[in-house]
């Protein structure tokens, strides 16, 4: 089992920044691809960003590319999502997820690729 705890969400004005963190425990953190997804009211959960086990590969949804940066600190069992230039359409519950992978460089983008999920943290961007 892997336990994931997100933090860092909150209310911010459009154009502002937030940094989300996801702390993992329970298994070897570096065995897992880490991803972030989000879900807005009335919408399906969507992919935001993912980072490979090594941290050498990242992938972003087009909607956040150039504004969000995903990084990981394997020694601290933590992944970080830096969100800049936030827009009202970024408002959602953000979920951290962990997916087991044998590849150091592969990223995963589908919800079914991830075995473990956090409880989510609310991000609200006001206009």
């Amino acid at each position: 089992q892997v336990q994931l705890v997100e933090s860092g969400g909150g209310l911010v004005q459009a154009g502002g920044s937030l940094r989300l963190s996801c702390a993992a425990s329970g298994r070897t953190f570096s065995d897992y691809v880490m991803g972030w997804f989000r879900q807005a009211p009335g919408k399906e959960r969507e992919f935001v960003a993912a980072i490979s086990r090594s941290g050498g590969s990242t992938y972003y949804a087009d909607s956040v590319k150039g504004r969000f940066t995903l990084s990981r600190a394997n020694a601290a069992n933590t992944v970080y999502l830096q969100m800049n230039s936030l827009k009202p359409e970024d408002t959602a519950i953000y979920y951290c997820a962990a997916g087991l992978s044998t590849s150091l460089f592969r990223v995963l983008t589908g919800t079914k690729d991830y075995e473990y999920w956090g409880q989510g943290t609310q991000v609200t961007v006001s206009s």
Side-chain angles (χ1 to χ4, degrees):
Q1 288 284 344
V2 175
Q3 292 78 42
L4 302 172
V5 179
E6 303 98 333
S7 61
L11 173 65
V12 64
Q13 288 188 331
S17 298
L18 283 174
R19 188 194 197 203
L20 305 185
S21 298
C22 174
S25 62
R27 290 282 178 91
T28 303
F29 182 68
S30 59
D31 286 345
Y32 291 85
V33 173
M34 299 300 296
W36 284 92
F37 291 75
R38 66 187 182 186
Q39 189 165 16
K43 294 187 177 181
E44 295 199 352
R45 192 169 297 190
E46 65 173 4
F47 171 78
V48 175
I51 189 165
S52 63
R53 289 173 51 197
S54 67
S57 300
T58 53
Y59 188 78
Y60 299 92
D62 288 344
S63 58
V64 306
K65 200 172 294 182
R67 301 187 296 122
F68 290 11
T69 303
L70 183 57
S71 60
R72 67 188 293 162
N74 284 346
N77 292 352
T78 304
V79 63
Y80 306 98
L81 183 67
Q82 178 66 43
M83 307 187 295
N84 298 330
S85 303
L86 283 162
K87 305 175 181 180
E89 51 263 44
D90 293 319
T91 295
I93 299 174
Y94 283 69
Y95 297 91
C96 175
L100 192 63
S101 176
T102 57
S103 169
L104 286 174
F105 305 105
R106 185 185 180 195
V107 293
L108 306 171
T109 62
T111 56
K112 294 182 179 181
D113 294 328
Y114 292 86
E115 293 90 0
Y116 301 103
W117 294 82
Q119 292 299 307
T121 185
Q122 176 71 48
V123 171
T124 303
V125 184
S126 63
S127 56

